């Protein structure tokens, strides 16, 4: 008979991958969440800074609490966490009083540290290996860092370099194709290509959201942050509802038994089957 401690460990650990399969629809939803997060954070800040901070912090904490309680990928829970990290990441990028360029450098260093510690601890940065609680923690720390870094990069190009929102968006639309081309033509690794593209989705979506929402005197279309946030939210809900019903974005394959029975061993991540 299995021990009580083993049952407790198994109850806390995932029983399947906790992130979606990477498809074209994944990237569409991801870009929408970045634009929605940017517009929502700016809209709430315009209403009340205290309210914005409260929604950002508590929404961020609540979304991750829900995500960590699940034992396998669930599209509504996962994408709710991404949305709230998008809102919180915008606030985090605007928080340090070191300017846009200073924030970009700071969060680039934070991201580098998180990725280094993740790889050193687990031996892989592949999203197909998010099958333990520790790896999931590293994953969401990385996601938060990419949101903050991407927001800061978008602010650097649009404001510090005075390119404006639309030119910035078009520039990042071109940049996001670079990892795909590098993987296709020059053999760039799958993991590196994924994370490079993931970082760029933030300034890409945020730049277009700012262009649509900000007034004409700030080089925007002038629809308003609230309208852009609401439209992006509706689109996200529809697409997430679609993948939740069709289940086309679920990674296939269950967790190897060794991960369930020995989740706390430091050498367990070296199992090549998880890469």
């Amino acid at each position: 008979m299995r021990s009580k401690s083993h049952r407790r460990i198994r109850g806390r650990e995932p029983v399947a991958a906790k992130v979606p399969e990477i498809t074209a629809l994944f990237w569409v939803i991801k870009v929408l969440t970045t634009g929605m997060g940017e517009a929502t954070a700016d809209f709430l800040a315009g209403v009340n800074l205290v309210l914005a901070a409260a929604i950002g912090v508590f929404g961020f904490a609540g979304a991750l609490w829900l995500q960590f309680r699940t034992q396998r990928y669930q599209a509504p829970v996962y994408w709710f966490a991404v949305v709230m990290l998008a809102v919180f990441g915008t606030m985090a990028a605007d928080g340090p009083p070191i300017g846009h360029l200073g924030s970009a450098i700071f969060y680039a260093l934070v991201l580098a540290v998180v990725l280094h510690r993740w790889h050193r601890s687990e031996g892989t940065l592949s999203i197909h290996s998010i099958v333990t609680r520790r790896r999931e923690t590293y994953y969401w720390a990385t996601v938060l860092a990419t949101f903050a870094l991407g927001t800061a990069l978008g602010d650097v190009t649009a404001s510090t370099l005075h390119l404006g929102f639309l030119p910035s968006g078009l520039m990042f639309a071109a940049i996001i194709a670079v990892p795909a081309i590098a993987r296709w033509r020059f053999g760039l690794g799958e993991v590196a290509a994924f994370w490079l593209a993931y970082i760029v989705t933030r300034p890409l979506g945020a730049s277009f959201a700012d262009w649509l929402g900000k007034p004409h005197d700030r080089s925007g279309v002038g629809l308003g942050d609230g309208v852009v946030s609401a439209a992006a939210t509706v689109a996200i809900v529809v697409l997430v509802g679609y993948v939740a019903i069709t289940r086309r974005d679920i990674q296939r394959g269950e967790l190897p038994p060794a991960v369930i029975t020995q989740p706390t061993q430091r050498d367990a991540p070296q199992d090549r089957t998880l890469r």
Side-chain angles (χ1 to χ4, degrees):
M1 181 178 294
R2 296 180 177 178
S3 66
K4 291 182 178 180
S5 61
H6 170 76
R7 288 196 297 269
R8 285 196 298 269
I9 291 173
R10 183 168 182 171
R12 290 196 300 267
E13 289 292 316
V15 298
K18 294 290 295 290
V19 298
E21 187 62 74
I22 306 306
T23 63
L25 195 54
F26 170 89
W27 293 111
V28 172
I29 300 174
K30 176 61 172 63
V31 171
L32 284 170
T33 64
T34 64
M36 182 268 186
E38 176 78 8
T40 300
D42 290 347
F43 173 75
L44 292 174
V47 174
N48 186 287
L49 285 175
V50 176
L51 174 64
I55 293 177
V57 172
F58 290 108
F60 163 73
L64 284 187
W65 179 78
L66 288 173
Q67 172 65 19
F68 277 101
R69 280 181 62 85
T70 65
Q71 289 187 289
R72 63 177 71 239
Y73 167 71
Q74 296 180 18
V77 176
Y78 173 86
W79 286 110
F80 177 61
V82 174
V83 164
M84 293 315 303
L85 260 70
V87 175
F88 184 78
T90 299
M91 298 177 182
D94 295 337
I98 52 179
H100 299 320
L101 183 59
S103 292
I105 295 173
F106 172 75
Y107 285 113
L109 293 174
V110 170
L111 178 60
V113 170
V114 173
L115 290 174
H116 172 72
R117 291 183 63 86
W118 181 2
H119 191 271
R120 183 177 179 180
S121 172
E122 304 300 309
T124 178
L125 300 177
S126 172
I127 65 160
H128 297 292
S129 71
I130 312 302
V131 290
T132 68
R133 180 59 55 86
R134 188 167 61 199
R135 293 183 180 190
E136 188 179 11
T137 301
Y138 278 119
Y139 172 80
W140 288 108
T142 302
V143 171
L144 178 58
T146 63
F147 272 120
L149 171 60
T151 300
L153 288 174
D155 290 337
V156 167
T157 60
S159 300
T160 305
L161 299 180
H162 305 291
L163 294 182
F165 299 125
L166 180 57
S168 292
L170 295 174
M171 181 185 70
F172 286 116
I175 291 175
I176 201 171
V178 173
I181 295 173
R183 174 161 174 75
W184 171 48
R185 298 291 295 177
F186 304 106
L188 179 66
E190 178 184 14
V191 173
F194 171 80
W195 284 114
L196 288 172
Y198 198 94
I199 292 170
V200 179
T201 58
R202 177 60 188 187
L204 172 62
S207 294
F208 281 108
D210 282 336
W211 173 61
L212 292 170
K214 295 299 183 286
H216 297 288
D217 59 3
R218 295 186 58 190
S219 74
V221 174
L223 297 179
D225 292 324
V227 173
V228 174
S229 173
T233 299
V234 171
I236 291 168
V237 169
V238 170
L239 292 177
V240 171
Y242 171 78
V243 296
I245 293 172
T246 62
R247 300 173 64 85
R248 292 183 177 181
D249 62 338
I250 294 179
Q251 293 188 39
R252 303 303 173 185
E254 292 299 311
L255 204 61
V259 178
I260 297 177
T261 57
Q262 298 177 336
T264 60
Q265 290 186 2
R266 299 292 294 178
D267 58 347
Q270 299 306 316
D271 182 354
R272 298 285 179 176
T273 64
L274 297 181
R275 296 192 179 188

